[in-house]
């Protein structure tokens, strides 16, 4: 039975946090709340909805502009129900007879992320400007993970990335990926030189927040020595002083000083190769506990340090990866920074830094997606440069227009992709998709699946069994990028921090948006101005294998309401930054939860995955062309990077063209 006293406390705490405030979290699209409009416009919800939108399709309606929507974004309500219904096997029993659109294409691309958009670009390059291409995506916006969030606190435009952050890669971009960027007008080294860094934050540092539930006492400790990553995280030499201010036990403090500053070789006498092999088969947590012999109290302090890059904690990330990423504890072990077996894709690039690129557009790599669309669909956006795309307003009404040879159809989930006749000899494929509670079909000379591997066996059951098994192997990494628009950032200035690590809290970090001035876009410069704040949540479950954690996190994210996120955001910001004067009820203008239940592509993890022979990894088997159907997307590379998505798009197009 509900406890009335407890309910009163919750209600009064909610009021304190501002849960009753009218922030821009309830989304409006053409005057109708998105919860309804989004569902009407974008999803197949058999039997649930009777009404129809007045516009022919949502994306053609005047004012349709999803980047400004706040609240639950990423995998937003309306985006995934159709696919889940296909997965659960109850879609077809409720679906009516497909309507034949009569449309024919040279290519249908399933998935309007960077991989699908790049594939369309490469295909058109080969097949010519009149090639007819249809791109289908289940979301209300294009870009896949490369999504843009727009806010207007106090009328001022603030942009950020809803997913993909930067042009970066552990390895140099391939000729094709680099060539694509060049053709679009993106020159990352030049852009980086001209537009990097927000000088307004130059003198702000980092801190840790110790929450009561995890550490016994609630405390923000600023002035953390070194960064969280990079060579400096191991040095700094001021850990003793810093730790003395924390609520950590003396034993934990001593262990952390040893981990951060010690120079012991914990595997003395063992050859390099053996040390690395051992480190690749143990987690960083086990390394700290069993090799460094650190006090167990240090684990909560380090647990979430891998969340941003891996979406899982140190219990599931190999120690060798952590060494490659300059985590502390290895400085006395004499490991040479050469590539070695047993590193994940991310870490392999980090041992011999050869990254040529690191550039962050204010909306992340959504700018790449927007430039691709601008190039593919005439009239979809004004301008022609990497600078003017930043503030360009896309015309969504142009995306699926009959007078363009390339069309992008949003809110459309592919539910079946099948050859017309036998796969070995077929010349055409039929692609069926669900939209506005109906099923439609189009015909094409080929289909390119730039969606997620996990989806493909359901929409393409005619694939060979071995390939379907391989497609199901990787489990994408769930992750949340919550973005909060604040009316000012005085609290950060007062406390002297731009980033706070919160190892035990709902979101494991809080960061001021790393925005830059570019083109007509002006980032926040003064603490009195509005700003965007990023909060990261990895819904992982320590103790399980990486794949099991990812599966559990996926369900957890889909079951968590926006209200729960909002309450946690308000509570956390108030507790962490309240001593600097932040009042969540007063200072929060808008909240967007970029929820990615299918986030990073699965990267092979030596703690659980076998050491497959070259060319025999599940992703190698999964991406084989099957008749007139080719497979792209970053899952096909088992690597969560933009350039990999582009490379896979290129490969898949070559396969189709040569078949
Ligand atoms: C939070 C986050 C941050 C990242 N940060 C970076 C970074 O800083 N730098 C970097 O290089 N990389 C980064 N990545 C990785 C990078 O974003 C991806 O590798 C890349 O964008 C993937 O592109 P994609 O087209 O392969 O897949 P996606 O972007 O996932 O696009 C695939 C699209 O297909 C759609 N789809 C799926 N099934 C269907 C269906 N049945 N019908 C229609 N459509 C369907 C999906 O909904 C999606 O929109 C990040 C990824 C995430 C999740």
């Amino acid at each position: 039975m509900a406890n009335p006293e407890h309910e009163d406390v919750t209600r009064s705490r909610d009021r304190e946090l501002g849960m009753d405030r009218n922030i821009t979290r309830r989304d409006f699209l053409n005057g109708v709340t998105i919860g309804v409009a989004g569902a009407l416009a974008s999803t197949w919800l058999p039997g649930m909805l009777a009404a129809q939108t007045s516009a022919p399709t949502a994306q053609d309606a005047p004012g349709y502009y999803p980047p400004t929507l706040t609240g639950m974004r990423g995998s937003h309500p309306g985006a995934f129900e159709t696919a889940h219904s296909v997965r659960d096997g109850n879609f077809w029993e409720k679906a009516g007879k497909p309507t034949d659109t009569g449309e024919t294409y040279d290519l249908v691309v399933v998935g309007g992320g960077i991989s699908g958009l790049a594939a369309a670009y490469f295909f058109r390059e080969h097949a010519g400007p009149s090639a007819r291409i249809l791109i289908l995506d289940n979301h209300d916006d294009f870009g896949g993970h490369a999504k843009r969030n727009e806010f207007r606190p106090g009328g001022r435009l603030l942009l950020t990335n809803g997913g993909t952050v930067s042009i970066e890669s552990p390895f140099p971009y391939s000729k094709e990926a680099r060539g694509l960027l060049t053709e679009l007008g993106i020159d990352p080294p030049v852009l980086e030189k001209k537009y990097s860094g927000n000088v307004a934050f130059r003198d702000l540092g980092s801190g840790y927040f110790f929450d009561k539930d995890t550490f016994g006492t609630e405390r923000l400790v600023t002035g953390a020595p070194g960064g969280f990553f990079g060579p400096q995280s191991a040095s700094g030499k001021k850990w003793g002083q810093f730790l003395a201010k924390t609520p950590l036990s003396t034993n934990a403090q001593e262990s952390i000083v040893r981990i951060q500053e010690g120079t012991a070789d914990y595997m003395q006498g063992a050859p390099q190769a053996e040390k690395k092999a051992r480190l690749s088969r143990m987690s960083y947590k086990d390394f700290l506990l069993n090799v460094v012999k650190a006090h167990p109290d240090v684990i909560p302090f380090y647990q979430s340090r891998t969340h941003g890059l891996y979406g899982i904690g140190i219990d599931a990330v190999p120690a060798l990866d952590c060494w490659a990423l300059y985590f502390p504890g290895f400085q006395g072990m004499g490991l040479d920074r050469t590539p070695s077996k047993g590193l994940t894709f991310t870490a392999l690039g980090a041992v011999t830094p050869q990254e040529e690129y690191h550039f962050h557009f204010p909306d992340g790599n959504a700018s790449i997606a927007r430039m691709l669309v601008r190039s593919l669909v005439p009239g979809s956006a004004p301008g022609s440069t990497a600078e003017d795309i930043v503030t360009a307003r896309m015309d969504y009404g142009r995306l699926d227009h009959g007078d363009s040879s390339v069309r992008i159809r949003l809110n459309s989930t592919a539910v079946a992709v099948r050859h017309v006749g036998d796969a070995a000899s077929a010349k055409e494929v039929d692609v069926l998709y669900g939209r506005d509670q109906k099923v439609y079909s189009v015909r094409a000379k080929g289909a390119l699946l730039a969606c997620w591997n996990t989806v493909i066996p359901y929409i393409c059951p005619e694939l060979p069994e071995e390939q379907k098994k391989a497609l199901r192997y990787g489990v994408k990494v769930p992750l949340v990028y919550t973005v909060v628009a604040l009316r000012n950032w005085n609290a950060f200035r007062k406390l002297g921090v731009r980033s706070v690590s919160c190892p035990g809290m709902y979101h494991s970090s809080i960061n001021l948006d790393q925005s830059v001035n570019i083109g007509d876009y002006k980032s926040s410069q003064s603490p009195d101005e509005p700003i965007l704040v990023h909060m990261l949540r990895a819904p992982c479950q320590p103790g399980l294998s990486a794949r099991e954690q990812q599966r559990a996190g996926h369900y957890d994210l889909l079951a968590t309401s926006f209200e729960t996120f909002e309450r946690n955001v308000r509570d956390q910001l108030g507790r962490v930054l309240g001593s600097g004067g932040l009042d969540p009820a007063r200072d929060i203008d808008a909240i967007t939860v970029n929820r990615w239940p299918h986030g990073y592509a699965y990267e092979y993890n030596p703690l659980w995955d076998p050491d497959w022979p070259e060319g025999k990894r599940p992703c190698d088997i999964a991406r084989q062309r099957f008749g007139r159907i080719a497979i792209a997307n970053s899952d096909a590379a088992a690597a969560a990077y933009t350039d990999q998505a582009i490379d896979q798009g290129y490969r898949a197009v070559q396969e189709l063209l040569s078949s």
Side-chain angles (χ1 to χ4, degrees):
M1 209 168 74
N3 175 347
E5 227 171 87
H6 180 255
E7 279 179 12
D8 280 351
V9 173
T10 310
R11 262 199 296 273
S12 108
R13 176 73 181 140
D14 273 2
R15 259 196 309 278
E16 229 173 80
L17 292 174
M19 286 296 287
D20 56 342
R21 298 295 167 107
N22 190 18
I23 57 162
T24 49
R25 65 166 178 264
R26 292 173 198 99
D27 315 301
F28 286 84
L29 188 67
N30 306 321
V32 187
T33 53
I34 188 67
V36 178
L40 283 173
S42 65
T43 189
W44 178 272
L45 291 173
M48 281 181 64
L49 297 160
Q52 294 286 339
T53 45
S54 52
T57 63
Q59 77 187 69
D60 296 324
Y64 184 90
Y65 197 69
T68 52
L69 295 176
T70 56
M72 194 64 94
R73 300 297 295 154
S75 197
H76 57 79
F80 54 86
E81 293 83 347
T82 302
H84 286 183
S85 168
V86 174
R87 175 200 65 191
D88 298 341
N90 55 25
F91 177 80
W92 291 107
E93 71 200 44
K94 291 176 186 155
K97 192 171 171 296
T99 303
D100 183 355
T101 60
E103 293 172 6
T104 56
Y105 293 92
D106 294 301
L107 179 70
V108 172
V109 177
V110 177
I114 296 267
S115 195
L117 295 171
Y121 185 95
F122 291 129
F123 186 84
R124 189 183 59 172
E125 223 171 33
H126 285 267
S130 59
R132 289 179 48 74
I133 304 171
L134 174 68
I135 301 167
L136 298 170
D137 198 281
N138 57 315
H139 288 99
D140 60 13
D141 201 355
F142 61 81
H145 295 140
K147 285 275 188 343
R148 167 179 172 111
N149 289 171
E150 280 190 28
F151 297 85
R152 288 194 182 266
R156 180 204 177 115
L157 174 67
L158 288 181
L159 300 173
T160 195
N161 54 291
T164 319
V165 189
S166 303
I167 300 177
E168 55 159 1
S169 169
F171 300 100
Y173 271 39
S174 67
K175 184 160 73 57
E176 291 76 26
R178 188 186 190 119
L180 176 70
L181 294 191
T182 305
E183 282 171 33
L184 291 176
I186 302 171
D187 187 339
V190 168
L191 291 169
E192 186 183 359
K193 225 184 204 157
K194 268 172 94 175
Y195 302 115
S196 275
N198 189 340
V199 287
F201 309 153
R202 211 174 20 202
D203 53 342
L204 298 183
S206 55
Y208 281 83
F209 186 79
F210 298 88
D211 66 288
K212 192 160 183 283
D213 285 348
T214 314
F215 297 98
T217 306
E218 195 111 317
R219 195 176 300 164
L220 172 69
V221 186
T222 59
F228 300 130
F229 295 112
Q232 78 277 21
S233 71
S235 58
K237 302 279 179 197
K238 288 185 193 133
W239 279 92
Q241 281 163 269
F242 172 76
L243 293 165
K245 294 184 271 177
T246 71
L248 292 165
S249 68
T250 314
N251 285 335
Q253 291 185 31
E254 280 169 10
S255 284
I256 293 173
V257 170
R258 197 151 54 80
I259 293 164
Q260 296 288 150
E261 299 173 5
T263 52
D265 183 351
Y266 299 105
M267 294 180 183
Q268 206 168 15
Q272 280 273 333
E274 188 190 318
K275 285 181 182 173
K276 287 187 177 176
R278 282 177 61 193
L279 291 171
S280 76
R281 288 193 298 271
M282 71 174 82
S283 69
Y284 186 58
K285 177 182 175 186
D286 285 343
F287 169 73
L288 295 180
L289 291 178
N290 305 331
V291 178
V292 177
K293 308 272 187 227
H295 191 276
D297 285 358
V298 307
I299 299 305
F301 180 70
Y302 289 110
Q303 175 63 26
S304 62
R305 197 169 284 198
T306 45
H307 279 189
L309 265 184
Y310 293 83
I312 39 180
I314 61 167
D315 56 292
V317 176
L320 191 66
D321 267 37
C322 293
W323 158 74
L325 293 162
Y326 296 99
F327 275 41
F330 306 98
Q331 49 275 15
M333 294 183 66
L335 300 169
D336 58 39
R337 296 194 69 79
T338 51
S340 52
K341 264 183 109 132
L343 287 164
T344 67
F345 182 86
T346 292
L348 193 58
V351 277
T352 44
Q354 18 174 349
E355 183 185 297
E356 291 183 1
Y357 294 160
H358 196 284
F359 180 67
H360 174 73
F361 279 102
D363 61 359
N365 291 2
S367 276
I368 301 181
R370 285 157 58 85
M371 289 180 87
L372 275 164
V373 171
R374 181 166 71 179
S375 155
L376 289 167
V377 183
S380 58
S384 60
T385 68
E387 279 89 354
D388 64 28
I389 194 68
V390 175
T391 46
R393 190 177 163 96
M394 302 287 310
D395 181 353
Y396 282 77
R398 299 293 310 165
L399 298 187
D400 190 7
H401 207 278
D403 63 10
S404 168
S405 54
V406 180
R407 303 176 72 159
I408 301 174
R409 195 159 291 169
L410 301 170
N411 306 308
S412 301
T413 305
V415 292
V417 179
R418 50 194 184 218
H419 287 98
V420 181
D422 183 55
S425 55
K427 296 276 178 274
E428 290 176 316
V429 291
D430 280 334
V431 179
L432 282 72
Y433 63 92
R435 169 169 165 163
D436 297 346
Q437 306 174 74
K438 292 197 178 70
V439 185
Y440 298 93
S441 73
V442 296
R443 188 157 280 192
K445 292 183 187 147
L448 191 146
L449 308 186
C451 50
W452 305 320
N453 275 5
T454 182
V455 171
I456 295 172
Y458 295 106
I459 62 174
C460 203
E462 62 177 321
L463 288 171
E465 284 310 314
E466 192 202 6
Q467 186 168 3
K468 285 194 278 189
K469 190 170 159 217
L471 282 159
R472 288 193 195 103
Y473 185 84
V475 180
K476 272 176 156 333
V477 180
L479 209 60
V480 182
Y481 282 4
T482 299
V483 180
V484 184
L486 288 180
R487 298 206 159 90
N488 63 70
W489 45 284
N490 287 315
F492 287 85
R493 163 65 61 202
K494 188 165 170 211
L495 296 166
V497 289
R498 59 180 294 184
S499 65
V500 182
S501 176
C502 311
M505 297 190 92
Y506 194 75
H507 289 90
S508 54
S509 62
I510 302 174
N511 284 284
L512 287 179
D513 183 56
Q514 52 167 317
S515 201
V516 293
N517 298 329
I518 172 169
D520 291 338
Y521 183 70
K522 299 282 170 281
S523 62
S524 182
Q525 295 299 310
S526 148
D528 291 328
E529 292 175 339
I531 200 157
L532 302 180
V533 169
H534 279 263
M535 300 174 77
L536 173 92
R537 173 165 172 75
C540 44
Q541 310 224 345
L544 303 176
S545 73
R547 285 198 309 164
E548 285 165 349
Q549 293 201 40
Q550 280 144 210
R551 242 179 232 121
H554 170 95
Y555 290 110
D556 176 271
L557 279 193
L558 289 178
T560 306
S561 67
F562 178 78
E563 187 186 348
T564 299
F565 273 103
E566 177 177 359
R567 187 171 287 111
N568 277 293
V569 163
R570 289 179 176 279
D571 173 67
Q572 186 165 352
L573 287 178
R575 283 159 68 192
V576 174
L577 296 154
S579 58
L582 188 140
D583 175 355
R586 183 194 60 208
D587 296 331
I588 292 176
D589 188 79
I591 300 174
T592 288
V593 175
N594 294 288
R595 168 177 74 173
W596 301 112
H598 300 277
Y600 296 157
Y602 185 79
E603 281 188 25
Y604 298 120
N605 184 324
L607 295 182
W608 291 280
D609 294 323
D611 187 8
W612 287 286
E614 194 60 35
K616 297 279 181 218
R617 295 171 306 166
C619 71
D620 300 317
I621 298 163
R623 68 184 180 216
Q624 298 304 308
R625 177 179 63 81
F626 179 67
R628 305 297 311 147
I629 300 169
I631 294 174
N633 87 71
S634 62
D635 289 346
Y641 290 92
T642 297
D643 60 325
Q644 300 297 311
I646 298 172
D647 287 349
Q648 293 305 319
Y650 181 81
R651 175 199 46 75
V653 165
Q654 300 313 306
E655 286 176 5
L656 273 185
L657 290 171
S658 61
S659 66

